[in-house]
Amino acid sequence: PADVQHYLELISSVRGTPMAALKGYGDIINGYMVNPSVDVNTWITKQAYIALGNLMTSAAMLGIDVCPMEGIIPEKYDEILGIDKDGYQTVVVAPVGYRAADDKHAAYKKVRFPASEMVKHL
């Protein structure tokens, strides 16, 4: 509820909308958080992957490499970064940077299955 209140105050400040006009919106968000129709952790994870996709696309446009990783031990990341104390949790890791100029693997031809094997037209 405190995060929702903070968000509503930000909306009010940025848009000049009276807080009273945002009450219904706030009630909907708070009601959903108390009685969600979906598993909140699953929903939050999906939201993180949307952000990851945007990160990867934006980085690629700038010529920067990103390597999304799973198979990690999220709890260790939470502990090392100290985010567990703030109620956050690691979902995915994405190192970002420039590949080494002498990376012989970067010059290899990409090997991909043909679309005809991967896409089913309905």
Side-chain angles (χ1 to χ4, degrees):
D3 288 337
V4 173
Q5 182 64 29
H6 179 63
Y7 179 60
L8 294 174
E9 290 168 359
L10 186 60
I11 292 172
S12 177
S13 172
V14 170
R15 296 181 180 167
T17 305
M19 284 298 291
L22 297 171
K23 183 185 180 319
Y25 182 50
D27 290 346
I28 290 170
I29 296 172
N30 282 316
Y32 180 79
M33 298 310 289
V34 171
N35 222 350
S37 58
V38 297
D39 175 53
V40 175
N41 285 333
T42 300
W43 179 79
I44 291 170
T45 298
K46 290 179 180 181
Q47 298 304 300
Y49 278 92
I50 292 171
L52 174 63
N54 285 320
L55 167 69
M56 293 174 65
T57 300
S58 300
M61 292 177 68
L62 295 170
I64 302 171
D65 296 311
V66 179
C67 181
M69 297 170 25
E70 285 191 327
I72 59 171
I73 302 172
E75 298 80 16
K76 283 292 185 187
Y77 279 85
D78 298 348
E79 178 187 329
I80 290 167
L81 297 172
I83 63 173
D84 53 338
K85 295 175 189 79
D86 296 323
Y88 296 108
Q89 61 188 39
T90 301
V91 173
V92 65
V93 175
V96 178
Y98 297 98
R99 68 184 72 180
D102 61 350
D103 180 1
K104 68 178 183 178
H105 297 96
Y108 287 176
K109 288 185 176 182
K110 298 292 183 196
V111 179
R112 302 287 187 259
F113 288 107
S116 62
E117 292 182 28
M118 300 302 298
V119 177
K120 182 175 180 171
H121 296 277
L122 303 175

